[in-house]
């Protein structure tokens, strides 16, 4: 199959080739006015080779079965609700999906119950699959930084080192300090203000009632506080609640280190998706060449009358029935601003092996 190349940058439109750094502990730095940090990428048997740092990473007992890893460390330069920080895949054009895609999507939903998607282009011509970052990451560590830390090059931020010398494990002991900023509730929730004319309508009353219920749940979550110590499974379960996510805000003093690593994708001898029970797909047959983009982005903020994607999961409802609702309808992307992007693409050379 064609060799692969990996690109990275602050957005899909600002990518640089980092193929030479793949499977090494040499991080790629990204700095914008919204996020600054660094990342590394490990892919098992990448272009038929695996040695050095990659062999050490994939040879760890706690990474047995893992076939790829995207590790990041960084911080947001202005406070953002963790409910509005998403991670996942975005695409520029419709996908050629194989038979059995439904089973694959059910498996993805099982792995990550907070996942929402429109991979079949029901509401947009740009497929996507996104989840709240704090709920979907298999490994996440939060660290609290001094308020005066100027950048990720500061010595306070450089400790612990990146990438970690040992496999990343969860540490949320200081996450309870990531409280919402002291701003009006209307701005914290990201909901638009209502005009006097619309406040008299039934839809507006219903919206205010729904917002009030969400606000009460969020306030209760803030009063209860984030548990001081959670393992990965406990964290992902805790942040499956929208109210819990809205009660945690990430800003300049919050250093987030993540390792998104799984084993259900194989890159050698061919690109293949593996599912439980022996079910699998040869993805190379369906790959049309467009980059597979992993992004950290913000949730697209919309008004009451603009049902853009991805939408919030209504508490206590069947999200599967709602995840394709609406569309942008304005030619804009279904997601908000991208903070960083890693794209895996087909290279120009052909692997003769």
């Amino acid at each position: 199959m064609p060799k692969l190349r990996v690109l990275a940058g602050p957005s899909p439109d600002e990518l640089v080739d980092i193929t030479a750094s793949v499977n090494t502990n040499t991080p790629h730095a990204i700095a914008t006015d919204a996020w600054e940090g660094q990342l590394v990428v490990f892919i098992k048997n990448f272009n038929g080779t695996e040695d050095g740092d990659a062999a050490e990473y994939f040879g760890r007992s706690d990474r047995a079965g893992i076939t790829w890893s995207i590790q990041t460390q960084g911080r947001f330069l202005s406070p953002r609700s963790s409910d509005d920080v998403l991670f996942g895949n975005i695409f520029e054009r419709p996908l050629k999906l194989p038979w059995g895609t439904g089973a694959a999507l059910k498996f993805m939903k099982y792995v990550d119950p907070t996942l929402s998607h429109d991979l079949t282009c029901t509401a947009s011509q740009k497929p996507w699959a996104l989840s709240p970052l704090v709920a979907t990451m298999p490994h996440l560590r939060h660290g609290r930084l001094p308020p005066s830390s100027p950048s990720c090059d500061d010595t306070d931020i450089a400790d612990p080192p990146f990438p970690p010398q040992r496999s990343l494990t969860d540490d949320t002991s200081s996450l309870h300090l990531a409280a919402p900023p002291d701003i009006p509730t209307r701005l914290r929730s990201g909901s638009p203000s209502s005009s006097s004319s619309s406040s008299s309508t039934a839809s507006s009353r219903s919206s205010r009632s729904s917002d009030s219920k969400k606000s009460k749940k969020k306030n209760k979550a803030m009063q209860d506080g984030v548990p001081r110590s959670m393992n990965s499974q406990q964290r992902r379960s805790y942040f499956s609640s929208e109210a819990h996510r809205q009660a945690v805000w990430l800003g300049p003093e919050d250093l987030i280190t993540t390792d998104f690593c799984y084993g259900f994708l194989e890159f050698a001898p061919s690109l293949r998706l593996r599912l439980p029970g022996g079910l699998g797909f040869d993805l190379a047959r369906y790959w049309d060449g467009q980059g597979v983009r992993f992004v950290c982005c913000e949730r697209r903020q919309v008004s009451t009358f603009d049902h853009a994607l991805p939408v919030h999961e209504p508490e206590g409802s069947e999200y599967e029935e709602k995840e394709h609702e609406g569309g942008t309808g304005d030619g804009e992307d279904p997601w908000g601003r991208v903070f960083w992007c890693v794209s895996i693409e087909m290279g120009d050379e052909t692997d003769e092996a």
Side-chain angles (χ1 to χ4, degrees):
M1 65 173 290
K3 287 187 175 181
L4 302 176
R5 65 172 185 162
V6 179
L7 298 89
S11 75
D13 299 323
E14 303 173 88
L15 300 176
V16 297
D17 196 323
I18 64 166
T19 303
S21 299
V22 172
N23 285 353
T24 75
N25 286 329
T26 303
H28 176 73
I30 296 176
T32 68
D33 61 349
W35 187 85
E36 63 177 12
Q38 47 195 339
L39 59 85
V40 294
V41 178
F42 287 93
I43 299 176
K44 192 175 181 65
N45 296 324
F46 181 66
N47 290 336
T49 63
E50 181 186 322
D51 52 21
D53 297 333
E56 190 278 329
Y57 176 85
F58 291 115
R60 299 172 184 172
S61 60
D62 54 5
R63 291 298 186 262
I66 294 299
T67 55
W68 96 96
S69 163
I70 298 176
Q71 301 177 54
T72 68
Q73 183 182 83
R75 62 176 183 168
F76 298 96
L77 300 185
S78 60
R80 298 176 184 274
S81 165
S82 65
D83 186 49
D84 292 330
V85 177
L86 309 178
F87 174 81
N89 299 104
I90 62 174
F91 301 88
E92 282 300 309
R93 57 182 182 271
L95 301 171
K96 181 182 178 182
L97 299 175
W99 175 88
T101 297
L105 294 178
K106 288 182 179 179
F107 171 69
M108 292 167 60
K109 194 72 173 180
Y110 171 78
V111 173
D112 179 10
T114 64
L115 173 72
S116 57
H117 68 85
D118 185 18
L119 293 176
T120 56
C121 294
T122 302
S124 169
Q125 289 304 299
K126 293 186 176 183
W128 56 270
L130 297 165
S131 306
L133 182 141
V134 294
T136 192
M137 279 292 167
H139 307 287
L140 181 148
R141 182 175 63 204
H142 171 268
R144 196 68 172 172
L145 303 173
S148 59
S149 296
S151 72
C152 279
D153 293 330
D154 187 84
T155 55
D156 291 325
I157 302 180
D159 185 22
F162 181 82
Q165 297 176 351
R166 297 181 179 179
S167 298
L168 185 71
T169 57
D170 266 51
D171 184 350
T172 56
S173 58
S174 61
L175 197 55
H176 66 282
L177 299 174
D182 187 17
I183 57 178
T185 302
R186 175 180 62 82
L187 296 179
R188 289 207 306 266
S189 63
S191 58
S193 59
S194 301
S195 65
S196 58
S197 59
S198 63
S199 63
S200 61
T201 64
S203 61
S204 180
R205 288 196 300 271
S206 175
S207 176
R208 289 200 304 273
S209 176
S210 176
D211 289 344
S212 177
K213 292 179 180 179
K214 289 184 178 181
S215 179
K216 289 180 180 179
K217 290 182 178 180
K218 183 172 67 174
N219 290 337
K220 184 179 186 303
M222 292 171 59
Q223 293 172 0
D224 293 343
V226 180
R228 296 296 192 273
S229 179
M230 295 184 286
N231 59 31
S232 177
Q233 182 178 359
Q234 292 169 334
R235 167 181 53 82
R236 299 177 72 177
S237 175
Y238 179 81
F239 284 114
S240 65
S241 163
E242 180 182 331
H244 289 165
R245 297 193 301 268
Q246 290 181 341
V248 171
W249 282 57
L250 304 174
E253 298 175 21
D254 302 290
L255 184 67
I256 304 297
T257 307
T258 64
D259 186 357
F260 186 77
C261 57
Y262 281 106
F264 51 78
L265 274 181
E266 294 180 344
F267 294 87
S270 65
L271 184 62
R272 186 172 181 81
L273 173 66
R274 295 186 307 172
L275 299 178
L279 183 63
F281 302 99
D282 183 1
L283 298 180
R285 295 176 53 191
Y286 302 93
W287 195 4
D288 63 359
Q290 68 171 313
V292 179
R293 296 171 174 172
F294 294 86
V295 301
C296 175
C297 66
E298 66 180 350
R299 188 186 300 274
R300 184 168 182 256
Q301 299 299 331
V302 296
S303 67
T304 305
F305 303 102
D306 180 16
H307 298 288
L309 300 171
V311 297
H312 283 290
E313 175 179 357
E315 296 281 356
S317 66
E318 291 296 329
Y319 192 35
E320 288 80 4
E321 298 178 1
K322 294 181 176 292
E323 61 189 357
H324 299 310
E325 277 190 4
T328 58
D330 52 13
E332 295 185 13
D333 293 334
W335 49 86
R337 176 174 180 172
V338 174
F339 301 117
W340 58 260
C341 173
V342 171
S343 181
I344 301 176
E345 305 180 356
M346 290 185 180
D348 296 329
E349 301 179 20
T350 301
D351 189 351
E352 301 294 342

